[in-house]
Amino acid sequence: MKLIFVSSLEVHCRDVAVSRLLGKYPEALVIGHDLLEGNRVLRRVEGKHNATERAESVLEHGCIGCAVRFEILPTLLRLLPGREDAVVIQLLPATWHSDQVLDIVRSELAGRGVTIDHVVLALDPAATEDQFWDRRTLWESGFNAMPNDERTAGEFLIRELALADSLMFVEGVSVELLGESAEHLKASGEQYEHGARLIAELAPHAALNSGASEVVLGDYDQHEALLRSRPGHFSHGAGDSEIADSKILIRVERPLDADRFREVLPEVVATCMCVRGTLWMASCPGVRVALTGTGPRVWMESTGAWESDVACTHLELTGSEHCEAEVRALLESCELSDEQLLALHGASSATGPDQEESDIWGRGESV
C-alpha cells in the first residue's frame, strides 16, 4: 500500500495538488481534514472504492495533537484499505507541519505494517517570495483559524520545504480571480518561474513537479527529513561550484563579537528572502548557535555544543541583493582580533564549553 501526506499553506494549492495526484493514482482514497473556528474539524472522504463521506466534529481543545489523536488518526486507521495496491492520500489542514502529524501516527501505522511513502508540499511559486516577506501571522493573514499561532507564512514554508520529499507547484487562486491581468502569475509567467527557481534552491533534495508534466515523487526518509529541518542546517557546503546566482555561501573562521554582530545583522539580512546557518559567537564559544531568517523575521537559538562540528560561522543567504564580498566584509568586521582571541582562549579554558549563551538570542524582525 502507498500512503501519501499532502501539506500546504493554502487550501486551494492543496486541492489542486490532489487533483494532479489523482491523475497519477485515479483509484486512490482521499482523506481530507480542515480545522475551523470553534475547534471544529471538517472531514471529507472520497474514493472509487468508498462511499463519499462528509462529517464535522468538535474538539474540546483545538490543537494539532488533539485533532490528530481524536480525529485524523482514527479516521485513517478505520479506512485503511486491505489491498496491497491501494493508494491513500491524506490531506493535512493548511499550515500544519507534516512532522508534527507523522510523529503521532507513525507508531500506530507501523504496528499495522504501513509505512509513509511520500510527503508532498503544495505551493504557488508566484506567491512564495511575497509570503516569505509577509510580516503578518498566519491567523492575521487568514491562512488558519488559530489566533494564538504567531508563525508567519515564511516560517511555515521554510520548515515544510525541508521536511517534504516532493514539491507540487500550482497556480494560485489569483490566476482565476485576476484573469488576463495574471499572466505573470501563471505557470509560464515571469514571477512564477522566478519563484520556482528560488524554491528549487531552498529545497535541492526534493522532487519538483510543475505544470502539466507527469507527477514524480521522492521517497520519504524520516531521518533525512529531520536532519534537513534541524536549525542551522543547509544542504550545500562551502565552495560548492553549483550554487545559483541568487544564493550566497559565507564561511568565517574566527568567533564573532556579539555586539558588533548585532549591529551588522540587519544589514546582512535586509534583502534576504531566506538566511540559515550557524554562528560562532565569542560570548558563548562552546555553543553552536543557529541563525534562521525568513523575510523580515530573524531568530537565533542554541543547538548545543559543537561536538564533532568544526566551530565556525557558516551561512547560506538566498534571494539576497548583496554580493558575496559585501556580506563577507560585514561579517569579517565582527571577527575577534588576535589579542581578543588570546583573551577568549584564556576565558574559555576557565569557564569550559558549557558557558551559558548571551540573552541576545531571541526571535525578532530585521528593520
Side-chain angles (χ1 to χ4, degrees):
M1 192 186 81
K2 187 181 292 292
L3 179 56
I4 304 170
F5 282 80
V6 181
S7 66
S8 66
L9 179 65
E10 304 174 80
V11 172
H12 168 80
C13 291
R14 184 195 67 184
D15 293 346
V16 173
V18 170
S19 297
R20 293 190 60 197
L21 287 171
L22 287 174
K24 183 178 179 69
Y25 304 110
E27 303 293 320
L29 170 67
V30 180
I31 305 173
H33 288 87
D34 287 293
L35 185 61
L36 310 178
E37 291 181 320
N39 298 343
R40 294 177 295 136
V41 179
L42 177 63
R43 178 177 72 250
R44 289 172 291 184
V45 180
E46 297 178 349
K48 288 190 174 181
H49 300 284
N50 293 74
T52 299
E53 180 179 321
R54 182 184 177 93
E56 186 178 297
S57 60
V58 180
L59 303 173
E60 183 176 348
H61 186 255
C63 66
I64 292 178
C66 291
V68 175
R69 290 185 177 90
F70 300 121
E71 174 57 42
I72 294 178
L73 180 58
T75 302
L76 186 58
L77 296 179
R78 171 171 60 87
L79 297 174
L80 279 178
R83 308 189 321 277
E84 292 185 0
D85 61 343
V87 177
V88 176
I89 303 174
Q90 171 67 62
L91 313 185
L92 301 182
T95 75
W96 280 25
H97 286 299
S98 54
D99 64 329
Q100 294 177 324
V101 178
L102 301 186
D103 282 346
I104 298 174
V105 306
R106 184 178 287 108
S107 60
E108 292 289 342
L109 295 175
R112 291 163 171 76
V114 178
T115 59
I116 299 161
D117 297 279
H118 310 289
V119 173
V120 179
L121 171 63
L123 69 171
D124 174 15
T128 300
E129 189 167 12
D130 288 339
Q131 290 165 347
F132 263 82
W133 284 104
D134 194 346
R135 294 177 180 270
R136 298 172 297 173
T137 67
L138 292 171
W139 179 74
E140 290 171 340
S141 53
F143 287 123
N144 72 22
M146 302 171 67
N148 295 328
D149 192 341
E150 296 184 354
R151 294 174 300 154
T152 64
E155 287 180 280
F156 168 80
L157 287 170
I158 192 59
R159 181 173 165 192
E160 201 62 26
L161 282 167
L163 293 169
D165 57 73
S166 308
L167 305 181
M168 192 77 71
F169 295 162
V170 303
E171 294 179 350
V173 69
S174 297
V175 172
E176 299 178 10
L177 296 176
L178 298 178
E180 296 181 358
S181 302
E183 290 298 323
H184 61 299
L185 304 178
K186 294 182 179 180
S188 58
E190 180 180 356
Q191 186 167 326
Y192 182 103
E193 292 181 349
H194 173 70
R197 288 193 297 270
L198 287 175
I199 294 168
E201 292 167 17
L202 290 173
H205 60 277
L208 307 180
N209 296 271
S210 182
S213 60
E214 181 182 356
V215 172
V216 177
L217 302 181
D219 296 317
Y220 177 71
D221 184 302
Q222 177 193 5
H223 174 74
E224 290 297 326
L226 294 178
L227 176 63
R228 292 192 301 264
S229 60
R230 178 189 180 194
H233 175 83
F234 56 87
S235 299
H236 293 289
D240 195 314
S241 60
E242 298 182 357
I243 295 300
D245 292 339
S246 59
K247 181 175 290 186
I248 298 173
L249 287 181
I250 300 291
R251 185 184 181 98
V252 178
E253 303 294 341
R254 294 190 177 199
L256 307 180
D257 178 83
D259 290 333
R260 294 204 297 270
F261 179 72
R262 187 185 324 192
E263 293 176 358
V264 305
L265 180 59
E267 187 174 352
V268 169
V269 304
T271 63
C272 292
M273 171 180 163
C274 173
V275 56
R276 51 191 175 186
T278 56
L279 302 171
W280 188 19
M281 305 304 300
S283 56
C284 47
V287 177
R288 180 182 181 270
V289 177
L291 172 68
T292 308
T294 61
R297 185 166 286 189
V298 179
W299 64 99
M300 291 170 276
E301 55 190 300
S302 166
T303 58
W306 285 98
E307 299 177 348
S308 60
D309 297 333
V310 176
C312 69
T313 293
H314 195 183
L315 299 180
E316 177 192 74
L317 297 85
T318 302
S320 174
E321 295 178 8
H322 293 307
C323 68
E324 179 181 342
E326 291 173 326
V327 179
R328 183 175 298 280
L330 288 169
L331 291 177
E332 288 179 347
S333 71
C334 304
E335 288 185 298
L336 297 189
S337 65
D338 291 342
E339 294 77 9
Q340 290 174 316
L341 276 175
L342 290 174
L344 175 65
H345 177 72
S348 298
S349 300
T351 59
D354 296 327
Q355 177 183 11
E356 292 186 1
E357 58 266 31
S358 168
D359 61 3
I360 68 170
W361 311 126
R363 189 173 69 173
E365 293 191 354
S366 60
V367 180

